[in-house]
Amino acid sequence: MTDSTTKLDAFYDRDAPWRDELHAVRKLLQETELTEDFKWNSPCYTYDGGNLVVVWRLKDACGLGFFKGVLLTDPEGILQAPGEHSRSARVLRLTSLDQIAEHRDTIKAYIREAIEKEQAGLKVDFPKDDLDYPEELTERLEADPDLAEAFDDLTPGRRRGWILHILQAKQSKTRQSRIDKAAPKILQGKGMHDR
């Protein structure tokens, strides 16, 4: 048994909310062409090395997240952005075994479409970062060339995550504190949620 399999089994078998629903989702996913893996503390399903679907245990549902969900046609209108700043991912929230059974064919169709998009090499077209840097971050980056270089080297998503995190603070003092706490991770090339 691989380490990944052990972590997957522990995730799905955990005595926690949505256990039965998560098992049903796993069974459905195992019937597809996707490869099961464990990444970012969650079951992740890939196709030819590309991350396509992630499974989440949420407070109010279990979630089936499509990494490039914005590319899916979603004729049923069941996918939603996981957060207000989500530009690519789309999630299907599932709250019962009946709902999973009801959407079974649709989920499989969405997975087939995601595989087709992956095979075609389609990527989400992100517009140039549309967020203004907080004044405190701009000043800090101008004063610290190493930090500025490390920040520029981050992926666009990681940069965006840090900017949003800093912008959410209402007071300048708090924004500066967040920058101070972020700097070591940024210098290591990490995003806000990276360990």
Side-chain angles (χ1 to χ4, degrees), residues 158-171:
R158 285 186 172 109
R159 272 195 309 270
R160 185 174 178 82
W162 285 120
I163 293 168
L164 288 169
H165 176 66
I166 295 163
L167 280 173
Q168 288 169 347
K170 293 183 172 119
Q171 296 182 13

PDB file of all heavy atoms in Angstrom, residues 158-171:
ATOM      1  N   ARG A 158      -0.176  32.790  -6.805  1.00  0.00           N
ATOM      2  CA  ARG A 158       0.418  33.024  -5.478  1.00  0.00           C
ATOM      3  C   ARG A 158       0.540  34.527  -5.204  1.00  0.00           C
ATOM      4  O   ARG A 158       0.258  34.982  -4.097  1.00  0.00           O
ATOM      5  CB  ARG A 158       1.777  32.340  -5.372  1.00  0.00           C
ATOM      6  CG  ARG A 158       1.666  30.838  -5.215  1.00  0.00           C
ATOM      7  CD  ARG A 158       3.028  30.206  -4.975  1.00  0.00           C
ATOM      8  NE  ARG A 158       2.868  28.805  -4.651  1.00  0.00           N
ATOM      9  CZ  ARG A 158       3.217  27.815  -5.465  1.00  0.00           C
ATOM     10  NH1 ARG A 158       3.758  28.085  -6.633  1.00  0.00           N
ATOM     11  NH2 ARG A 158       3.021  26.567  -5.104  1.00  0.00           N
ATOM     12  N   ARG A 159       0.968  35.284  -6.214  1.00  0.00           N
ATOM     13  CA  ARG A 159       1.033  36.744  -6.038  1.00  0.00           C
ATOM     14  C   ARG A 159      -0.351  37.292  -5.704  1.00  0.00           C
ATOM     15  O   ARG A 159      -0.513  38.098  -4.792  1.00  0.00           O
ATOM     16  CB  ARG A 159       1.555  37.420  -7.315  1.00  0.00           C
ATOM     17  CG  ARG A 159       3.044  37.531  -7.399  1.00  0.00           C
ATOM     18  CD  ARG A 159       3.482  38.509  -8.480  1.00  0.00           C
ATOM     19  NE  ARG A 159       2.875  38.264  -9.771  1.00  0.00           N
ATOM     20  CZ  ARG A 159       3.375  37.467 -10.722  1.00  0.00           C
ATOM     21  NH1 ARG A 159       4.517  36.837 -10.509  1.00  0.00           N
ATOM     22  NH2 ARG A 159       2.757  37.313 -11.871  1.00  0.00           N
ATOM     23  N   ARG A 160      -1.339  36.857  -6.454  1.00  0.00           N
ATOM     24  CA  ARG A 160      -2.712  37.323  -6.247  1.00  0.00           C
ATOM     25  C   ARG A 160      -3.184  36.984  -4.836  1.00  0.00           C
ATOM     26  O   ARG A 160      -3.819  37.804  -4.173  1.00  0.00           O
ATOM     27  CB  ARG A 160      -3.622  36.699  -7.301  1.00  0.00           C
ATOM     28  CG  ARG A 160      -5.043  37.191  -7.273  1.00  0.00           C
ATOM     29  CD  ARG A 160      -5.838  36.617  -8.448  1.00  0.00           C
ATOM     30  NE  ARG A 160      -7.204  37.047  -8.415  1.00  0.00           N
ATOM     31  CZ  ARG A 160      -7.642  38.205  -8.869  1.00  0.00           C
ATOM     32  NH1 ARG A 160      -6.805  39.064  -9.407  1.00  0.00           N
ATOM     33  NH2 ARG A 160      -8.920  38.518  -8.799  1.00  0.00           N
ATOM     34  N   GLY A 161      -2.880  35.772  -4.373  1.00  0.00           N
ATOM     35  CA  GLY A 161      -3.279  35.372  -3.025  1.00  0.00           C
ATOM     36  C   GLY A 161      -2.698  36.286  -1.956  1.00  0.00           C
ATOM     37  O   GLY A 161      -3.402  36.708  -1.032  1.00  0.00           O
ATOM     38  N   TRP A 162      -1.409  36.596  -2.101  1.00  0.00           N
ATOM     39  CA  TRP A 162      -0.772  37.487  -1.125  1.00  0.00           C
ATOM     40  C   TRP A 162      -1.382  38.886  -1.192  1.00  0.00           C
ATOM     41  O   TRP A 162      -1.639  39.516  -0.158  1.00  0.00           O
ATOM     42  CB  TRP A 162       0.742  37.564  -1.352  1.00  0.00           C
ATOM     43  CG  TRP A 162       1.493  36.351  -0.894  1.00  0.00           C
ATOM     44  CD1 TRP A 162       2.262  35.518  -1.651  1.00  0.00           C
ATOM     45  CD2 TRP A 162       1.569  35.830   0.434  1.00  0.00           C
ATOM     46  NE1 TRP A 162       2.796  34.513  -0.886  1.00  0.00           N
ATOM     47  CE2 TRP A 162       2.383  34.680   0.402  1.00  0.00           C
ATOM     48  CE3 TRP A 162       1.005  36.205   1.649  1.00  0.00           C
ATOM     49  CZ2 TRP A 162       2.661  33.921   1.533  1.00  0.00           C
ATOM     50  CZ3 TRP A 162       1.286  35.443   2.785  1.00  0.00           C
ATOM     51  CH2 TRP A 162       2.102  34.326   2.716  1.00  0.00           C
ATOM     52  N   ILE A 163      -1.599  39.393  -2.390  1.00  0.00           N
ATOM     53  CA  ILE A 163      -2.168  40.736  -2.532  1.00  0.00           C
ATOM     54  C   ILE A 163      -3.546  40.792  -1.885  1.00  0.00           C
ATOM     55  O   ILE A 163      -3.856  41.723  -1.135  1.00  0.00           O
ATOM     56  CB  ILE A 163      -2.227  41.158  -4.021  1.00  0.00           C
ATOM     57  CG1 ILE A 163      -0.808  41.341  -4.562  1.00  0.00           C
ATOM     58  CG2 ILE A 163      -3.029  42.442  -4.190  1.00  0.00           C
ATOM     59  CD1 ILE A 163      -0.735  41.476  -6.074  1.00  0.00           C
ATOM     60  N   LEU A 164      -4.394  39.805  -2.164  1.00  0.00           N
ATOM     61  CA  LEU A 164      -5.731  39.783  -1.572  1.00  0.00           C
ATOM     62  C   LEU A 164      -5.657  39.715  -0.051  1.00  0.00           C
ATOM     63  O   LEU A 164      -6.406  40.407   0.648  1.00  0.00           O
ATOM     64  CB  LEU A 164      -6.534  38.599  -2.117  1.00  0.00           C
ATOM     65  CG  LEU A 164      -6.984  38.729  -3.563  1.00  0.00           C
ATOM     66  CD1 LEU A 164      -7.528  37.403  -4.077  1.00  0.00           C
ATOM     67  CD2 LEU A 164      -8.033  39.818  -3.695  1.00  0.00           C
ATOM     68  N   HIS A 165      -4.758  38.871   0.460  1.00  0.00           N
ATOM     69  CA  HIS A 165      -4.602  38.744   1.906  1.00  0.00           C
ATOM     70  C   HIS A 165      -4.211  40.077   2.540  1.00  0.00           C
ATOM     71  O   HIS A 165      -4.767  40.477   3.568  1.00  0.00           O
ATOM     72  CB  HIS A 165      -3.545  37.672   2.210  1.00  0.00           C
ATOM     73  CG  HIS A 165      -3.219  37.511   3.649  1.00  0.00           C
ATOM     74  ND1 HIS A 165      -4.125  37.046   4.576  1.00  0.00           N
ATOM     75  CD2 HIS A 165      -2.077  37.761   4.341  1.00  0.00           C
ATOM     76  CE1 HIS A 165      -3.557  37.016   5.771  1.00  0.00           C
ATOM     77  NE2 HIS A 165      -2.312  37.441   5.651  1.00  0.00           N
ATOM     78  N   ILE A 166      -3.292  40.764   1.917  1.00  0.00           N
ATOM     79  CA  ILE A 166      -2.830  42.049   2.453  1.00  0.00           C
ATOM     80  C   ILE A 166      -3.921  43.109   2.314  1.00  0.00           C
ATOM     81  O   ILE A 166      -4.182  43.884   3.232  1.00  0.00           O
ATOM     82  CB  ILE A 166      -1.513  42.482   1.764  1.00  0.00           C
ATOM     83  CG1 ILE A 166      -0.402  41.482   2.110  1.00  0.00           C
ATOM     84  CG2 ILE A 166      -1.122  43.895   2.170  1.00  0.00           C
ATOM     85  CD1 ILE A 166       0.816  41.554   1.204  1.00  0.00           C
ATOM     86  N   LEU A 167      -4.603  43.123   1.168  1.00  0.00           N
ATOM     87  CA  LEU A 167      -5.654  44.116   0.922  1.00  0.00           C
ATOM     88  C   LEU A 167      -6.831  43.984   1.879  1.00  0.00           C
ATOM     89  O   LEU A 167      -7.535  44.965   2.143  1.00  0.00           O
ATOM     90  CB  LEU A 167      -6.177  43.996  -0.513  1.00  0.00           C
ATOM     91  CG  LEU A 167      -5.349  44.647  -1.615  1.00  0.00           C
ATOM     92  CD1 LEU A 167      -5.914  44.284  -2.979  1.00  0.00           C
ATOM     93  CD2 LEU A 167      -5.306  46.155  -1.439  1.00  0.00           C
ATOM     94  N   GLN A 168      -7.079  42.783   2.379  1.00  0.00           N
ATOM     95  CA  GLN A 168      -8.228  42.570   3.257  1.00  0.00           C
ATOM     96  C   GLN A 168      -8.079  43.268   4.600  1.00  0.00           C
ATOM     97  O   GLN A 168      -9.071  43.507   5.287  1.00  0.00           O
ATOM     98  CB  GLN A 168      -8.468  41.074   3.456  1.00  0.00           C
ATOM     99  CG  GLN A 168      -9.021  40.414   2.226  1.00  0.00           C
ATOM    100  CD  GLN A 168      -9.010  38.896   2.328  1.00  0.00           C
ATOM    101  OE1 GLN A 168      -8.376  38.312   3.198  1.00  0.00           O
ATOM    102  NE2 GLN A 168      -9.718  38.254   1.412  1.00  0.00           N
ATOM    103  N   ALA A 169      -6.862  43.619   4.958  1.00  0.00           N
ATOM    104  CA  ALA A 169      -6.645  44.340   6.218  1.00  0.00           C
ATOM    105  C   ALA A 169      -7.063  45.797   6.035  1.00  0.00           C
ATOM    106  O   ALA A 169      -6.681  46.447   5.067  1.00  0.00           O
ATOM    107  CB  ALA A 169      -5.179  44.256   6.627  1.00  0.00           C
ATOM    108  N   LYS A 170      -7.840  46.294   6.984  1.00  0.00           N
ATOM    109  CA  LYS A 170      -8.364  47.659   6.861  1.00  0.00           C
ATOM    110  C   LYS A 170      -7.344  48.723   7.271  1.00  0.00           C
ATOM    111  O   LYS A 170      -7.348  49.824   6.747  1.00  0.00           O
ATOM    112  CB  LYS A 170      -9.628  47.791   7.695  1.00  0.00           C
ATOM    113  CG  LYS A 170     -10.761  46.953   7.138  1.00  0.00           C
ATOM    114  CD  LYS A 170     -12.023  47.144   7.929  1.00  0.00           C
ATOM    115  CE  LYS A 170     -13.130  46.455   7.205  1.00  0.00           C
ATOM    116  NZ  LYS A 170     -13.838  45.464   7.720  1.00  0.00           N
ATOM    117  N   GLN A 171      -6.485  48.376   8.211  1.00  0.00           N
ATOM    118  CA  GLN A 171      -5.538  49.368   8.717  1.00  0.00           C
ATOM    119  C   GLN A 171      -4.151  49.145   8.122  1.00  0.00           C
ATOM    120  O   GLN A 171      -3.720  48.009   7.919  1.00  0.00           O
ATOM    121  CB  GLN A 171      -5.454  49.286  10.242  1.00  0.00           C
ATOM    122  CG  GLN A 171      -6.750  49.633  10.926  1.00  0.00           C
ATOM    123  CD  GLN A 171      -6.613  49.576  12.438  1.00  0.00           C
ATOM    124  OE1 GLN A 171      -5.509  49.510  12.983  1.00  0.00           O
ATOM    125  NE2 GLN A 171      -7.735  49.599  13.130  1.00  0.00           N
TER     126      GLN A 171
END
